[in-house]
Amino acid sequence: MLVSALNEAAQAAGLSPGMALADARAVAPALATLPADPAADAALLARIAAWCGRYTPWTTPEGEDGVWLDATGCAHLFGGERAMLRDLLSRLAGFGMTARGALADTPGAAWALSHYGEGNRIVPPGGAGKALAALPVAALRLEPDAVAGLRRLGLKRIGDLYALPRAPVTLRFGDAVMRRLAQAQGRIAEPVSPGRPPPRFRARLAFAEPVGRADDIAEALHRLLHDLCEQLDRAQQGCRRLELTLYRVDGSVQGAAVGTAYPARDAAHLARLFAERLGHLDPGFGVEMATLGAPVTEPLAPAQVTAQVTAPGTRNIGPKPDAALAPLLDRLGNRLGFGRLVALEPFESHLPERASRAVPVAERGHAGDWRRAAPRPLRLLSRPEPLETVSPVPEDGPPAAFLWRRVRHRLRAAEGPERISPEWWRPGPAWARGPRDYWRVEDEEGRRFWLFRETQPRRDGAPRWFLHGLFA
Amino acid sequence: MPHTLSALRAAIARIERGGTAAAQRGAVPLGLAAIDDALPGGGLAAGAVHEVTGSAAGGFAAMLAGRFAGPVLWCVMERSPTDLYGPGLAAFGLDTRRLVVARCPSRQDMLWAMEEGLRDPALAVVAGEPDRAIALTASRRLQLAAETGGVTGLVLRHGAEDGALSPSAVFSRWRAESLPALGALSAPAEGARWRLELLRCRGGIGEIQQRTWTVDWCDATRDLSLVSGSRHRPAAAGTAERLAG
């Protein structure tokens, strides 16, 4: 059993992470211990990173105990860099967390200052070299071996490395030392990818007092939408997805997202899509900030697309109704799921189940006409159901009667057969038994069915009959 | 005297529909004079909810929806073992290019989707196939939504004798039963033969002389024609000739 983490009091008592628990107890008999739970720590860190979204959309957890924030262009919203950092740290302290933060041009310098810096931890542009000079070399995020090696050579501070020639250091300690130094100074780039790509369009609203009433949140959403739609309008973009994030006073984050079938930037319409979701958001003890991001956008021509409402009776919507229908489809899609709104399109195939293709309405292609080879049923069974044929079936004709779902249907008339062969280039289990002979049959009550018989006999010799469609 | 009666009837209709008389929305003719003449307004009332039952409910409803110009929303249960089939819908005159099928995971979702659709004037028709009967309140909501949006609702009910909608909320109720016709000399080669029965119609079914028709639907011409032998009125000219010849 090893010690994995310590609080300040334990550190003051002389303990260090990595020592055996028995040793630690010997040093500090009053030690209170809890089992380590790395998964919960990681989850907490992810939550903190999400909470940091109130400062910038670009956040991601770093290592086991850090969070990167790309605050470029965000500080002015909080009254400057110093005020923003103070705000961030004091809020974290308010949640009972011990946190250190630094702000610099490069991730390397910010990491070094936040972990090892004293006093001022805000580096002015271009000041990384000066700010880092007094810090220990471990602040460069080096392997312990490299740190120990440098120390043996008397190179204890980052400043000691500045004057060294590059080649011998690289030869001795590998590429990492000089690369980390250059990254910290901003001479070479250090790409860090965000937890999730920040949306290109984003609106943000901070409240002077935490709000909790549903009306207030709806009003906030209204303002955010107005702001965001203006941004979208300037860029001639429409959103396909919107994410509302509420930052609660207790540090937790609530989110709601809606999608649209077509690019949209009509604030009133988008607000309606959110209407149902707002009810499910729990403001807790209050919400102090809200952001609205559009992670997925598509070009949308400047003319606003709105529903055309014409007087009843004079409606003349052609075969492409999508523009006027978009608001309705969005509302339906957000509740039912956009995958459940489908259009039926013809597909060049003679297999019945492939000839009519269900595509999401947004991807509707307005394809051509249906093949009119022979009458086709109104409904197709998702999978053909085997039938019991009660009487002997003639070799080349349909049965005189069949049993389907326990109901006996005596046939009055039949039309067929229409032979349909599988597509050899698309082998599949459904058509593994070769061509089928389809019949259109009618029972004595006038109900019409679409039956088929497999042409390859089964092991017991008798051909099997299936029901594949209904004509009503 | 008849004038007074019709004026009174119009007044009652206005009261019944809370001022937004469905008659003002107009009616869409089915394309068969014998039926259209019998219906108030000369066709299927727009901006109202109609119920279709019987073994041929699906085909008849597809045909009715096809008579309207404009987008059609068709709500089905996601778990239904059958899927609407494009070529079959097209054969009943419904242009699938203006059709949107909503696969609803539950009946509540279907009722909600139908109500949303009925309220949206961008649609012409909302059809729905609930798996069970709809409660009175929900039926009334659908009818109100249809009046608000001016969209026509079609509620399909398969086979069951009892209606899907509460009687008081539905504008008209139809029963469409398949009749044997395959291979019959007088029947169209491709199409269907139905026995249509108007079970209920707001605005006074008592006034309607004939409520049962036997009709043929022809896939090729997309037309209804009266089959002779169906009571009273003389059959439509085309059918009569064909029978004669």
Side-chain angles (χ1 to χ4, degrees):
Chain A
M1 298 257 259
L2 298 175
V3 174
S4 66
L6 298 159
N7 65 1
E8 278 177 355
Q11 276 169 341
L15 307 188
S16 61
M19 70 193 301
L21 182 59
D23 297 344
R25 284 200 195 284
V27 174
L31 192 66
T33 60
L34 286 171
D37 187 351
D41 290 346
L44 175 65
L45 194 63
R47 282 217 303 281
I48 295 172
W51 173 82
C52 289
R54 55 182 279 126
Y55 296 100
T56 161
W58 195 114
T59 71
T60 186
E62 192 277 327
E64 290 172 358
D65 56 358
V67 178
W68 291 123
L69 275 71
D70 184 345
T72 311
C74 300
H76 71 277
L77 299 170
F78 298 88
E81 293 179 344
R82 192 165 303 278
M84 180 171 81
L85 190 59
R86 200 185 310 126
D87 184 71
L88 169 63
L89 294 177
S90 68
R91 280 177 194 276
L92 284 172
F95 301 142
M97 299 197 205
T98 313
R100 294 157 59 96
L103 212 152
D105 285 356
T106 64
W111 195 94
L113 280 166
S114 63
H115 286 70
Y116 293 91
E118 302 289 341
N120 178 24
R121 298 208 188 95
I122 293 179
V123 181
K130 199 171 144 217
L132 297 182
L135 299 183
V137 288
L140 287 179
R141 291 176 289 164
L142 300 175
E143 297 294 321
D145 287 353
V147 175
L150 288 167
R151 287 178 69 91
R152 272 201 302 280
L153 295 180
L155 303 168
K156 290 179 182 161
R157 308 264 156 213
I158 293 176
D160 299 339
L161 301 173
Y162 289 173
L164 292 182
R166 182 187 172 85
V169 177
T170 303
L171 200 62
R172 183 146 187 169
F173 299 103
D175 170 44
V177 176
M178 287 323 224
R179 178 164 47 84
R180 285 298 193 196
L181 183 62
Q183 281 175 347
Q185 292 175 322
R187 281 184 283 120
I188 59 174
E190 179 184 2
V192 180
S193 51
R196 356 182 359 198
R200 185 176 152 204
F201 300 95
R202 189 171 189 258
R204 174 185 165 285
L205 187 63
F207 307 111
E209 289 281 317
V211 300
R213 285 170 49 228
D215 290 354
D216 294 338
I217 291 172
E219 171 62 24
L221 174 68
H222 180 75
R223 284 206 236 163
L224 288 168
L225 277 169
H226 186 76
D227 184 359
L228 193 78
C229 289
E230 258 182 15
Q231 294 178 34
L232 291 168
D233 197 43
R234 276 196 297 274
Q236 299 197 8
Q237 295 275 314
C239 64
R240 290 291 309 278
R241 192 177 161 76
L242 277 182
E243 291 172 352
L244 174 71
T245 312
L246 301 182
Y247 297 90
R248 308 199 302 191
V249 285
D250 62 358
S252 61
V253 172
Q254 289 260 308
V258 298
T260 63
Y262 304 93
R265 59 162 178 268
D266 178 1
H269 166 52
L270 294 168
R272 284 196 64 179
L273 298 185
F274 269 111
E276 197 171 332
R277 305 293 157 98
L278 288 184
H280 298 296
L281 289 174
D282 174 14
F285 295 109
V287 173
E288 48 185 1
M289 186 180 293
T291 62
L292 184 69
V296 186
T297 61
E298 282 173 13
L300 181 64
Q304 186 86 354
V305 179
T306 50
Q308 296 166 344
V309 182
T310 48
T314 62
R315 238 179 269 140
N316 187 20
I317 296 163
K320 192 176 181 181
D322 296 347
L325 271 187
L328 175 69
L329 295 178
D330 288 346
R331 290 202 301 281
L332 296 178
N334 275 294
R335 169 142 172 186
L336 306 176
F338 284 97
R340 291 196 172 104
L341 294 179
V342 296
L344 303 178
E345 286 196 341
F347 185 72
E348 275 301 319
S349 171
H350 52 262
L351 298 191
E353 61 271 25
R354 290 194 76 215
S356 171
R357 205 162 46 160
V359 298
V361 277
E363 290 153 33
R364 181 204 287 264
H366 303 289
D369 286 327
W370 301 98
R371 295 157 63 109
R372 289 191 47 84
R376 287 287 181 260
L378 183 70
R379 301 169 195 279
L380 211 59
L381 271 63
S382 317
R383 53 181 56 209
E385 292 181 18
L387 299 176
E388 275 183 60
T389 51
V390 266
S391 49
V393 180
E395 187 62 30
D396 53 352
F402 65 83
L403 213 61
W404 177 53
R405 292 184 183 169
R406 299 185 185 177
V407 179
R408 186 188 157 97
H409 298 275
R410 279 193 68 79
L411 296 193
R412 213 201 115 253
E415 231 180 51
E418 179 192 358
R419 177 157 293 194
I420 297 180
S421 300
E423 296 171 334
W424 57 264
W425 59 93
R426 281 184 78 253
W431 286 77
R433 302 202 66 82
R436 299 169 177 177
D437 281 340
Y438 276 86
W439 291 80
R440 188 163 70 119
V441 302
E442 188 174 85
D443 73 4
E444 286 178 327
E445 284 160 34
R447 279 191 288 253
R448 291 188 189 172
F449 304 92
W450 209 37
L451 311 184
F452 70 81
R453 186 181 64 172
E454 294 178 338
T455 53
Q456 285 179 11
R458 300 249 168 182
R459 204 168 296 160
D460 59 5
R464 293 280 301 276
W465 284 85
F466 290 85
L467 179 70
H468 202 180
L470 306 169
F471 282 87
Chain B
M1 191 62 173
H3 180 75
T4 318
L5 263 180
S6 63
L8 277 172
R9 203 172 291 137
I12 292 169
R14 269 198 304 280
I15 295 163
E16 268 192 347
R17 288 151 214 160
T20 58
Q24 288 170 9
R25 303 271 184 202
V28 173
L30 275 61
L32 184 61
I35 301 180
D36 290 333
D37 290 350
L39 293 172
L44 196 72
V49 177
H50 307 273
E51 187 183 88
V52 185
T53 65
S55 60
F60 184 54
M63 186 228 99
L64 290 176
R67 291 302 196 215
F68 285 77
V72 175
L73 175 72
W74 197 305
C75 304
V76 296
M77 296 299 292
E78 197 178 29
R79 285 185 305 273
S80 163
T82 60
D83 298 321
L84 287 174
Y85 192 49
L89 289 167
F92 285 116
L94 178 55
D95 181 359
T96 50
R97 283 174 300 185
R98 49 189 178 85
L99 172 72
V100 174
V101 180
R103 293 171 170 165
C104 306
S106 73
R107 205 154 46 90
Q108 275 72 26
D109 285 326
M110 175 180 288
L111 292 175
W112 172 83
M114 289 183 69
E115 195 180 328
E116 284 286 313
L118 288 168
R119 277 186 202 287
D120 196 323
L123 281 178
V125 176
V126 174
E129 305 182 50
D131 54 355
R132 275 192 286 134
I134 300 175
L136 173 64
T137 315
S139 315
R140 284 219 177 110
R141 286 187 69 97
L142 291 184
Q143 177 63 32
L144 272 174
E147 286 172 16
T148 310
V151 182
T152 307
L154 299 173
V155 177
L156 280 76
R157 192 83 180 117
H158 302 290
E161 285 303 308
D162 57 334
L165 290 173
S166 185
S168 57
V170 54
F171 192 93
S172 77
R173 171 175 292 161
W174 296 78
R175 181 184 294 151
E177 298 285 351
S178 306
L179 286 182
L182 197 65
L185 276 176
S186 63
E190 296 178 10
R193 177 170 291 180
W194 297 321
R195 182 174 174 277
L196 300 179
E197 191 179 352
L198 183 59
L199 301 172
R200 194 197 135 79
C201 184
R202 201 184 273 184
I205 191 158
E207 302 301 318
I208 301 173
Q209 300 287 324
Q210 185 189 2
R211 296 171 214 161
T212 308
W213 303 269
T214 304
V215 297
D216 275 336
W217 166 261
C218 177
D219 279 7
T221 61
R222 307 269 163 93
D223 265 326
L224 281 178
S225 54
L226 214 55
V227 178
S228 110
S230 156
R231 281 177 288 154
H232 306 305
R233 307 172 68 115
T239 320
E241 276 166 25
R242 196 159 53 225
L243 283 175

